[in-house]
Amino acid sequence: MPTSIARQTERQLGGPRSVLVRQQRDHQELDRLVHAIDAAECADRQDLLTDLARLVFPHAFAEESVLWPVIRRVLPEGEALTLQIEQEHQEINELWSELEQTTPGDGRHEELWPRIVAVLREDVRDEEDELLPRLQERVGRRELARLGLAWELVRRISPTRPHPVVARRPPGNATAALPLTLLDRSRDHLDRAARGGTGRVARVAGGLSRAAAGVAGRLEHVPPFTAGEDPSTRSGRTARD
């Protein structure tokens, strides 16, 4: 069995520019944020949830756009391995979409959050213990650094919210990236303004965020944005009981 990237040093993973090091760092930050969210309440919790979403969804989008096509090309078992991760990503998208309709303390929020954490941790384990070590066996340090740069560039311009209807694969996810990224990142700032503001400022910011969410929800269903989807990751197909 290959060695998990969680148990390797930066040098073993290919140096600071390697995509494996970047992945490892994001996974460590995910763990930190989960613990911080568990200890937080009210507006602080919502701000931390926004931070986690801004980590998780661009991270996954960049994987699906940059890494998984390479893995499907270089690994005989790449199709099955990446599809399993895409199914986990889809489940996180669907659960988080439900979470966005809740508030801490309403019961439903407390029911969804542990399920989200469980799938996130499963996703991390599958990537660190199975998928990424197999990629490491097939490509050299230079290629890991090249993939790291491409992954980082895509991550910085990727959507920051769940979009369960959008395809997990190209060309759908690639064509949806620009409009959804603009809407998502605008919503992130508007939601912070709504939580931190008072009176008219909070109301206007909240209203604009809800309007942007409605536009994003309609855009998800535009046919080019759903192209390339595997049937097993279509919206509504992956949620667990």
Side-chain angles (χ1 to χ4, degrees), residues 171-214:
N173 59 357
T175 56
L178 179 59
L180 293 179
T181 296
L182 293 173
L183 288 165
D184 286 357
R185 293 176 186 262
S186 296
R187 287 184 63 201
D188 292 342
H189 293 297
L190 289 166
D191 285 348
R192 287 191 187 276
R195 290 194 295 269
T198 57
R200 186 172 185 274
V201 171
R203 290 194 300 273
V204 170
L208 289 173
S209 177
R210 289 189 293 274

Side-chain angles (χ1 to χ4, degrees), residues 1-2 75 77 81 130-138:
M1 289 291 292
L75 292 178
E77 67 277 31
L81 289 171
E130 293 286 338
L131 192 60
L132 296 176
R134 294 179 189 276
L135 173 66
Q136 185 182 26
E137 291 178 334
R138 290 300 185 109

Side-chain angles (χ1 to χ4, degrees), residues 10 24 31 33 56-57 59-60 110 122 125 129 151-152 164 184 237:
E10 182 178 285
Q24 185 188 69
D31 188 64
L33 284 169
V56 166
F57 294 110
H59 176 108
E110 286 69 29
E122 180 180 356
R125 286 194 302 271
D129 298 348
W151 179 83
E152 184 65 32
D184 286 357
R237 294 288 299 274

Side-chain angles (χ1 to χ4, degrees), residues 84 88 117-127 240:
Q84 178 182 348
E88 291 166 355
V117 172
V119 183
L120 285 172
R121 295 200 187 284
E122 180 180 356
D123 181 63
V124 167
R125 286 194 302 271
D126 288 341
E127 291 180 9
R240 303 178 184 184

